[in-house]
Structures are given as C-alpha cells and as structure tokens.
C-alpha cells in the first residue's frame, strides 16, 4: 500500500497538485491506529491508506483540508475516550502524528520562445520552477535552446494551450512574436486558474488588445487581473534586464510580497 500511495503522490505533484501525507508517530494505550500508520489526502478529497478510522481519522481529514489549502505542515495529538476526542490525555488512548504537505514546484509557462522568453527561462533555472516553453516555431522552441526545460512545445499555440494543465500554481508570461499570437494565447488562458498572467508590450498595445477583447465579450474583471505591460519597471531596455524585471514580478506575486525597499523598513 505504501508504494501505491507514494506513486499516487508523485503523479499528483507532477500534475501540480498539493498532497497531504499523514503519519502516526506515537500511539499509546487503546487506539485503532498503529504507530507508523500512513494516509494520503489529495486535492480532490480522495484518500489512500488509513490511520485507524473513527473520530481521530475524521478530525485529521478535516485538518488536512486546511493544510492543503494553506500549504502548511501540522503536528497533531489527540486523547481518546468513549465520549469525546480532545487534545489532552484522559482515560483512553493517545496518538500523535504529523501532516506533511507536499507542494509541487510552481509552473512557469513561457508562451513565446524568442529573446525575452529565452532570457526569462535562463533566469528561472535557479529558482526551482517547472518550466514549460510554447512557441509556434520549431526553430525557437527546441531542446537546443532550452536544454533543461521540463516541457517544450511548438506548433499551433491555441491547440497546445488547450492540453496544458494551467492551475493556481501556474505563472504565465506571454511574449510571442506579435500581437496576433499574443491575443490568441491570452484568449485561451484568461479564464484559467493561473496565479499570474503577464503580457509583454507597450501600454498602447495593451490598450488596443484590451479593447478588442472587451468587444468580444471578455469579462472586464478578468482583463484587470492581467499584468500588462508585464514586469517591474527597472528602467532598462536590455532584454536580460527586462526578463529580470518580469521574473521579479512573478516572484512578488508568488510570495505574496509587497513592493518596497528592505532598507526603508529597517530604518523605521
């Protein structure tokens, strides 16, 4: 069973989903669960394994729901008696355990494998992102240019994006070779669960693109959530530095940060 649980956990992480893995680390007295018992709780609320069932397992499952939402581990301990399940020892058994949350790598979906896309990928390599490269041109989206990318696709951008799992752990940067490809990509993912969608280009370009999508019936609130023009303004026209500004903005969103200088906080 443990081997099956571990395989399932691995597969869910590959899909970009969090998983809770529960282990009983200490059991004393009368308890249906045994020390070392394991259980996995998945994002779709399916469960593999058991820590003994009953009130204890029910309480731990509820805690797993919280942990999988927050992405935080949790230590638990319970005392058992015939009337209640409490957190202090009384006359029944006692169990102690740990909920480990496995967090998948955040996914960086780069749509556009040109100069900016390539520079963005190079910066992201040391940041533990699962990287996906998409472009309509094979001469740009290939293993020679993106040797260590996790997934590389070339061809019809719209069709490719239909088959990519874009979830709330996905950060998307659109930097294709032109207006038409940019808007094609945005149409496909704008109503996805992506944690971040950024688009390269000028304010004038974004205004024009936004007006076109509004005329098509795209929800205005969805458009307001797009980071366009993409990236932090670091006053540079260098491709590498533009990519650095984009990656800084992605990290700011991912880490729920705020745009400020640490030295200013220190002086207060």
């Amino acid at each position: 069973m443990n081997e099956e649980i571990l395989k399932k956990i691995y597969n869910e992480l590959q899909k970009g989903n969090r998983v809770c893995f529960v282990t009983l680390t200490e059991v004393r007295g009368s308890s249906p669960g045994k020390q070392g018992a394991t259980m996995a709780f998945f994002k779709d609320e399916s469960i593999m394994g058991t820590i003994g069932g009953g009130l204890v397992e029910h309480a731990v499952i509820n805690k797993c729901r919280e942990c999988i939402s927050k992405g935080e581990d949790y230590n638990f301990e319970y005392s058992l008696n015939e009337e209640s399940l409490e957190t202090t020892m009384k006359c029944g058994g006692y169990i102690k355990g740990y909920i480990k949350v496995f967090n998948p790598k955040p996914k960086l979906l780069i749509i556009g494998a040109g100069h900016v896309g390539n520079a963005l990928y190079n910066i992201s390599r040391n940041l533990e992102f699962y990287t996906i490269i998409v472009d309509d041109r094979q001469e740009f989206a290939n293993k020679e240019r993106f040797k260590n990318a996790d997934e590389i696709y070339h061809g019809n951008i719209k069709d490719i994006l239909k088959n990519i799992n874009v979830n709330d752990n996905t950060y998307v940067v659109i930097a294709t070779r032109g207006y038409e490809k940019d808007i094609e990509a945005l149409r496909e993912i704008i109503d996805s669960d992506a944690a971040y969608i950024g688009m390269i280009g000028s304010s004038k370009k974004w205004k024009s693109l936004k007006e076109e999508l509004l005329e098509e019936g795209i929800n205005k609130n969805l458009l307001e959530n797009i980071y366009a023009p993409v990236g932090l303004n670091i006053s540079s026209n260098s491709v590498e530095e533009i990519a650095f500004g984009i990656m800084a903005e992605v990290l700011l969103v991912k880490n729920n940060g705020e745009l400020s200088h640490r030295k200013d906080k220190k002086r207060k």
Side-chain angles (χ1 to χ4, degrees):
M1 174 59 81
N2 280 345
E3 184 178 350
E4 293 176 10
I5 291 175
L6 293 175
K7 285 181 180 178
K8 174 74 171 175
I9 290 173
Y10 176 80
N11 289 334
E12 288 299 304
L13 289 172
Q14 289 297 102
K15 294 176 185 176
N17 296 325
R18 284 177 181 155
V19 179
C20 285
F21 185 68
V22 184
T23 305
L24 293 189
T25 58
E26 184 179 348
V27 176
R28 296 202 302 263
S30 177
S31 170
K34 304 301 179 184
Q35 185 167 314
T38 58
M39 178 181 75
F41 180 87
F42 301 97
K43 188 176 180 180
D44 64 1
E45 301 217 342
S46 62
I47 296 167
M48 289 184 72
T50 180
I51 56 170
L55 290 173
V56 171
E57 187 163 295
H58 178 72
V60 171
I61 287 171
N62 284 336
K63 183 54 67 173
C64 283
R65 289 191 179 97
E66 295 179 27
C67 292
I68 213 164
S69 175
K70 297 177 180 178
E72 298 175 354
D73 300 346
Y74 184 76
N75 288 295
F76 63 86
E77 54 182 319
Y78 295 111
S79 295
L80 297 83
N81 59 40
E82 293 181 358
E83 297 180 356
S84 63
L85 177 63
E86 300 177 60
T87 57
T88 55
M89 185 67 175
K90 291 207 173 179
C91 59
Y94 168 85
I95 70 162
K96 188 175 182 180
Y98 184 64
I99 300 173
K100 170 64 181 176
V101 179
F102 288 100
N103 290 296
K105 284 184 177 181
K107 286 196 289 190
L108 179 63
L109 171 55
I110 303 173
I111 306 172
H115 298 304
V116 173
N118 186 252
L120 186 62
Y121 161 74
N122 287 330
I123 293 169
S124 73
R125 285 178 60 187
N126 295 321
L127 296 173
E128 294 298 314
F129 277 85
Y130 183 97
T131 51
I132 304 173
I133 310 299
V134 175
D135 199 282
D136 60 316
R137 304 161 293 179
Q138 184 176 6
E139 63 269 28
F140 283 81
N142 56 64
K143 268 292 182 184
E144 285 68 40
R145 277 172 59 80
F146 299 93
K147 293 181 180 179
N148 297 304
D150 295 283
E151 299 178 36
I152 305 172
Y153 302 101
H154 65 266
N156 185 288
I157 290 176
K158 181 179 178 180
D159 292 341
I160 292 169
L161 294 177
K162 284 182 182 295
N163 295 305
I164 293 177
N165 178 28
V166 178
N167 58 24
D168 59 5
N169 195 39
T170 306
Y171 300 80
V172 184
V173 178
I174 301 172
T176 75
R177 60 193 171 105
Y179 181 96
E180 292 303 324
K181 296 298 178 183
D182 282 348
I183 198 169
E184 178 183 329
L186 186 56
R187 285 192 190 104
E188 195 59 40
I189 61 168
I190 194 169
D191 62 349
S192 69
D193 293 329
Y196 170 97
I197 301 174
M199 177 176 286
I200 200 166
S202 65
S203 296
K204 182 179 179 181
K205 172 187 171 182
W206 173 240
K207 182 181 178 182
S208 175
L209 191 150
K210 187 177 178 180
E211 288 173 354
E212 184 173 341
L213 291 175
L214 283 170
E215 289 177 4
E216 293 176 10
I218 299 295
N219 188 293
K220 183 179 179 180
N221 291 331
L222 290 176
L223 290 166
E224 293 297 332
N225 289 329
I226 305 302
Y227 289 79
V230 70
L232 302 183
N233 183 3
I234 55 175
S235 302
S236 174
N237 292 319
S238 159
V239 169
E240 288 75 18
E241 291 185 6
I242 288 170
F244 188 89
I246 295 171
M247 202 66 231
E249 185 174 73
V250 168
L251 292 174
L252 194 70
V253 173
K254 182 179 80 70
N255 299 328
N256 296 311
E258 60 181 30
L259 193 56
S260 61
H261 292 287
R262 295 178 69 183
K263 71 180 183 65
D264 293 339
K265 285 189 174 184
K266 187 176 179 180
R267 289 172 180 174
K268 289 180 181 179

